[in-house]
Amino acid sequence: MTVMPALRTLRLPCLLVLVWGLLACAANPALEESRQAFATRSPELALRELRDKVTADPRNLELRSYYLRQRDMLVARQLALADQARAAGRFEQAEAALGLARQFDPLHPRVAAGYEAIAARQARDNSAREAQRHLDKGDAVAADSAARAVLAADPAHPLARDVMRRLDERAAARDPLPAALAGPLAKPVTVEFRDAPLRGVLEVLSRESGLNFVLDKDVRPDTKVSIFVRRSSVDDVLKLLMVTQQLERKLLNERSVLIYPNTPAKQKDYQELVTRSFYLANADPKQAMAMIKQMVKTKDVFVEDKLNLLVMKDTPDAVRLAERLIAGLDLAEPEVMLEVEVMEVSRNRLLELGLRFPEQIGYGLLQPSTTSAVTTTTGTTITQNLGGQLLAGNINLRNTGAMVPYVANQGLLLNLRDQDGNSNILANPRIRVKNRDKARIHIGEKLPVFTTTSTANVGVSASVNYLDVGLKLEVEPSVHLDDEVAIKVNLEVSSIVKEVLGPSSSLAYQVGTRSAATSLRLKDGETQVLAGLISDEERSSAYRLPGLGEVPGLGRLFSSQRDVGNKTEIVLLITPRVVRNLAQPALAGATRAAGTETAVGAAPLLLGPGGVAAAAPRGAQAGAAMPAPAAAVVADPGLPALALEAPEQVRAGESFALALTLAGPATEGGPVLLAYDTTLVESLDQPGEGGDALALQLPAGTAPRLEVRFRARPGATGLARFGVLSAQLRSGGQVQPLPVGEPLAVRIAP
């Protein structure tokens, strides 16, 4: 009889031991070993061992799942390292990271794509360097073509963007030393014709340059032409002829030029159109299409929203103009990381001290249904129902049948209570938000509030609404170009004060809230503290025995004092950190050539630095008097050439001197016109004057030497070119042209 209870008491522990043993047997030792290996060994070795275990036990699904997770994690890590290294131009590190990723997962598609991306990036880097070499040599056409090919595949390529920036700067500054054209078009000629037929002018140009001219059937060869150009290229002469005679040209090859009337019908026949596809990364294609239609006047535009693609068909000049416009539109929006810290500092103080006497004293008995405790003068305790009725006079106690004095609450209390509490509520969220977008944070609770609706002949229906209580923060940042962030801040902190019982047993809440709304502008990394949302509450109450409690000094013995103090302050710290600002394209605010109303995007009509041209305006009467051309002045080849001397290389922001020297007999000096690259250097002797050329005065004397001070612009890089446009020498009361030496280039290093 005594053994069975003992066995029953041992049944439960034995069962627990058995279950634990079964679970231990069902554990996955291979999985535990693999986890330990990843924690203590290198990830590569641990993954290799884990792969061998999976191969040996393919039915262990838990082990296989763990292997796949670890493999994908390691591959993703190496791919991220490869992308960072490729973007920074460290191709060897990128290939090493891809090699590790291939060891982890040989068939991963992003590994093969990574190798292709490296090869494509290397090819683009080579093309960009080739464009830079063309630009340094002065071949702007080849540099523009190579840089555009790179930017078509990689719009953010830094070297290609730098080449385009320098090209745009030279175009905006009207570079006085443009790249010379190659071939017959670059040959300098001097033409002087008054009322000559167009056929004769073209024949002269053909003999001088070796060009072949093909005329459209609607071109009138007998059109009268008046043109006087000295020492200018054939290309400049043709530009003047085409503009003044309302003609247009088309280069067929290096030595053949087609000339046709500049009319809309002929433009449709001869002007070639090209197509260009723009895969937009950030801009809305519909907005880009609206801009192109309005600014470029292009009619043939197609938009594909799914691919974020815009395709246009127009002339090459119009397409180049559209490229510049889209480059300024398709920019990544700025983003900012907001580090927010919200603190609620609360201090509570409660002091309750003194004697509290009973509020009521009675004499009588209670109804027989009494159940609550009542203290009598004799120390006897009886029970009283809280809902009972107190009677005076004819009272009968349940047990004794006697009438006793009593109190309805505690007879006498000594309050000795002192509470002091401090609390800090901290929220430290970090929000990354785009420019001019709103971000909201709610840290707290959603309290249900029930609402009942009573309808006649239907019944009572209840609905629930949720009330947000806690910390609510709403921010709207606006990132400026100077890395300052304007932020609109709305802060609200709420808490439940008490519960309120409504009609039909519905429950509501009394909510205390503090809110603040402001706008501020901070620098990147600057911290702003918003404080002062203080709630300071002080309450004092006393329970005194009438009469004795008001006696000075002794009244403290016959009273109980209660002092309550609550103080709460909300502090908000906000720090913006600009993750990405607007990357403006080169010369974003500069004025650029956009062609004419009939030839959108065409290059401006400019002549080379050595040409001085004058043409008769259209509508001039035949035989009208024209100013006689000045006699051609040729420099004496026996005179020494004016040479330029300057350091080969200077750093950006440094000052240097350029010397003009003339080795020869004594002279009386003379005027010199010096051209320089205003986009890379600035003059210190004549700041803000002369535009892109300086008017200098060569000093008198034997072997005169003139020094001009320049400074490389901060942040400028490249070759700054200098050249003498014209120089004259006064000697013996006569003025004669002076031969000039070769142009000079100074490399500006960062």
Side-chain angles (χ1 to χ4, degrees):
M1 299 298 294
T2 59
V3 176
M4 294 302 296
L7 292 177
R8 292 191 185 98
T9 57
L10 293 175
R11 184 181 299 172
L12 183 59
C14 292
L15 183 60
L16 294 176
V17 172
L18 180 61
V19 172
W20 180 83
L22 292 176
L23 292 176
C25 294
N28 198 333
L31 180 60
E32 296 299 330
E33 292 177 0
S34 299
R35 289 176 176 172
Q36 188 67 21
F38 274 99
T40 57
R41 302 179 187 176
S42 64
E44 295 82 3
L45 181 59
L47 185 67
R48 190 178 300 111
E49 294 179 355
L50 179 57
R51 181 176 55 192
D52 296 340
K53 292 178 182 179
V54 172
T55 305
D57 188 6
R59 294 186 178 182
N60 193 338
L61 299 182
E62 188 178 6
L63 185 65
R64 179 178 176 81
S65 176
Y66 182 71
Y67 163 70
L68 294 177
R69 290 198 306 269
Q70 295 297 324
R71 186 193 65 179
D72 292 345
M73 186 184 303
L74 293 177
V75 170
R77 184 184 305 169
Q78 295 300 325
L79 290 175
L81 293 176
D83 292 341
Q84 294 176 2
R86 184 181 71 249
R90 301 189 299 269
F91 301 117
E92 294 182 357
Q93 296 182 11
E95 292 178 352
L98 290 176
L100 286 177
R102 174 169 287 180
Q103 292 181 8
F104 298 148
D105 188 1
L107 301 180
H108 199 287
R110 287 189 58 189
V111 175
Y115 282 108
E116 294 177 359
I118 290 177
R121 177 60 186 268
Q122 290 177 338
R124 290 194 294 268
D125 288 349
N126 294 333
S127 300
R129 285 191 288 268
E130 185 68 22
Q132 188 178 34
R133 285 193 291 269
H134 285 309
L135 184 59
D136 293 340
K137 294 178 181 178
D139 192 352
V141 177
D144 180 81
S145 176
R148 288 182 184 278
V150 174
L151 293 177
D154 185 5
H157 196 282
L159 185 56
R161 288 172 61 92
D162 181 69
V163 172
M164 293 303 300
R165 177 187 61 81
R166 293 169 57 188
L167 287 172
D168 290 342
E169 288 175 350
R170 292 194 176 190
R174 300 295 189 267
D175 191 352
L177 297 173
L181 296 174
L185 290 174
K187 185 176 181 180
V189 294
T190 298
V191 291
E192 297 181 3
F193 294 98
R194 179 183 288 112
D195 295 335
L198 177 62
R199 181 189 297 107
V201 176
L202 295 179
E203 288 178 357
V204 172
L205 293 177
S206 178
R207 287 196 304 267
E208 293 293 331
S209 61
L211 289 174
N212 303 317
F213 293 100
V214 181
L215 304 183
D216 182 84
K217 64 182 183 64
D218 293 331
V219 176
R220 298 180 56 184
D222 56 348
T223 302
K224 301 299 182 181
V225 176
S226 298
I227 183 172
F228 301 88
V229 180
R230 294 181 178 276
R231 300 173 60 186
S232 187
S233 65
V234 176
D235 184 66
D236 291 340
V237 175
L238 287 178
K239 287 180 181 179
L240 290 175
L241 285 176
M242 299 302 104
V243 172
T244 56
Q245 303 302 320
Q246 287 191 345
L247 299 174
E248 190 55 76
R249 63 173 182 170
K250 179 180 180 180
L251 298 180
L252 304 178
N253 54 35
E254 294 182 356
R255 293 185 174 273
S256 300
V257 180
L258 171 65
I259 298 178
Y260 58 90
N262 188 6
T263 60
K266 293 300 180 179
Q267 291 284 356
K268 293 180 180 180
D269 294 337
Y270 290 111
Q271 196 169 46
E272 296 180 355
L273 302 179
V274 296
T275 61
R276 173 68 194 275
S277 300
F278 298 94
Y279 289 91
L280 306 179
N282 305 284
D284 184 3
K286 292 183 179 179
Q287 293 183 353
M289 179 180 67
M291 180 185 65
I292 289 177
K293 285 186 175 181
Q294 183 174 357
M295 303 298 296
V296 190
K297 309 301 181 183
T298 298
K299 298 180 180 180
D300 300 331
V301 184
F302 173 78
V303 168
E304 173 57 44
D305 292 331
K306 295 181 180 179
L307 300 177
N308 225 30
L309 170 66
L310 184 144
V311 183
M312 65 173 295
K313 182 180 72 172
D314 211 321
T315 63
D317 294 334
V319 169
R320 282 193 291 269
L321 177 59
E323 287 178 354
R324 293 198 299 267
L325 295 176
I326 291 180
L329 178 67
D330 191 24
L331 300 176
E333 294 186 54
E335 288 188 71
V336 62
M337 177 75 74
L338 297 178
E339 298 179 359
V340 182
E341 188 172 357
V342 182
M343 294 180 292
E344 182 178 3
V345 182
S346 177
R347 180 180 178 87
N348 304 317
R349 181 69 184 269
L350 172 62
L351 177 61
E352 190 173 3
L353 182 62
L355 291 171
R356 183 168 180 178
F357 293 87
E359 299 176 0
Q360 294 177 350
I361 299 177
Y363 179 80
L365 57 81
L366 300 177
Q367 293 286 358
S369 61
T370 58
T371 57
S372 64
V374 177
T375 304
T376 65
T377 57
T378 60
T380 305
T381 301
I382 62 175
T383 58
Q384 168 192 340
N385 190 344
L386 295 179
Q389 187 177 6
L390 187 64
L391 300 177
N394 188 15
I395 300 176
N396 183 20
L397 289 177
R398 176 185 301 177
N399 296 330
T400 63
M403 298 178 61
V404 295
Y406 66 92
V407 293
N409 50 10
Q410 296 88 349
L412 183 63
L413 291 178
L414 176 59
N415 292 322
L416 299 174
R417 189 178 181 184
D418 187 2
Q419 293 182 352
D420 192 358
N422 295 324
S423 62
N424 295 325
I425 300 177
L426 173 64
N428 188 16
R430 302 181 66 191
I431 321 164
R432 181 167 177 172
V433 59
K434 292 197 302 183
N435 186 37
R436 300 182 184 278
D437 276 3
K438 292 183 179 180
R440 296 179 178 88
I441 300 174
H442 177 219
I443 303 174
E445 299 177 348
K446 286 182 174 289
L447 299 178
V449 179
F450 293 94
T451 304
T452 59
T453 304
S454 179
T455 306
N457 301 325
V458 175
V460 179
S461 61
S463 62
V464 60
N465 296 319
Y466 290 93
L467 177 65
D468 293 332
V469 177
L471 169 67
K472 290 193 292 185
L473 178 65
E474 181 178 323
V475 292
E476 182 180 353
S478 178
V479 184
H480 297 268
L481 295 179
D482 55 356
D483 285 341
E484 290 191 357
V485 184
I487 311 173
K488 295 181 180 179
V489 182
N490 290 319
L491 173 65
E492 180 180 348
V493 180
S494 57
S495 60
I496 300 176
V497 177
K498 65 178 181 179
E499 297 180 354
V500 180
L501 187 62
S504 301
S505 301
S506 61
L507 186 63
Y509 302 94
Q510 181 179 346
V511 179
T513 179
R514 278 158 292 168
S515 62
T518 184
S519 298
L520 63 157
R521 181 164 177 169
L522 303 176
K523 294 182 179 179
D524 182 20
E526 180 182 359
T527 301
Q528 178 63 45
V529 179
L530 301 179
L533 295 176
I534 301 175
S535 173
D536 195 351
E537 178 184 0
E538 293 185 0
R539 294 183 180 181
S540 180
S541 60
Y543 297 91
R544 299 187 180 94
L545 191 64
L548 295 177
E550 298 178 359
V551 176
L554 295 177
R556 191 67 177 177
L557 299 176
F558 301 95
S559 64
S560 177
Q561 187 79 17
R562 180 184 176 91
D563 297 326
V564 179
N566 297 325
K567 185 175 182 179
T568 305
E569 181 180 6
I570 303 297
V571 180
L572 171 66
L573 291 84
I574 185 167
T575 305
R577 302 195 183 275
V578 178
V579 179
R580 178 180 59 242
N581 206 340
L582 189 65
Q584 298 185 76
L587 294 179
T591 302
R592 300 182 181 181
T596 62
E597 188 69 23
T598 57
V600 177
L605 181 62
L606 296 175
L607 300 180
V612 179
R618 285 190 53 81
Q621 298 180 0
M626 297 289 294
V633 182
V634 181
D636 187 357
L639 292 176
L642 185 63
L644 300 177
E645 297 179 1
E648 296 182 358
Q649 178 175 326
V650 296
R651 294 189 177 275
E654 291 183 353
S655 302
F656 63 96
L658 183 139
L660 292 83
T661 59
L662 181 64
T667 64
E668 300 176 4
V672 177
L673 187 61
L674 176 66
Y676 65 99
D677 195 339
T678 58
T679 62
L680 299 178
V681 297
E682 58 181 346
S683 172
L684 297 180
D685 295 334
Q686 301 180 14
E689 299 181 4
D692 49 17
L694 295 179
L696 307 175
Q697 189 69 27
L698 195 66
T702 304
R705 178 184 177 88
L706 175 63
E707 288 190 356
V708 186
R709 295 184 304 139
F710 291 93
R711 182 176 61 186
R713 295 186 182 274
T717 57
L719 290 178
R721 300 180 182 275
F722 299 86
V724 177
L725 296 180
S726 63
Q728 295 180 354
L729 186 65
R730 289 193 296 268
S731 179
Q734 296 182 354
V735 178
Q736 56 181 333
L738 188 65
V740 296
E742 295 294 330
L744 183 66
V746 178
R747 179 173 295 278
I748 309 298

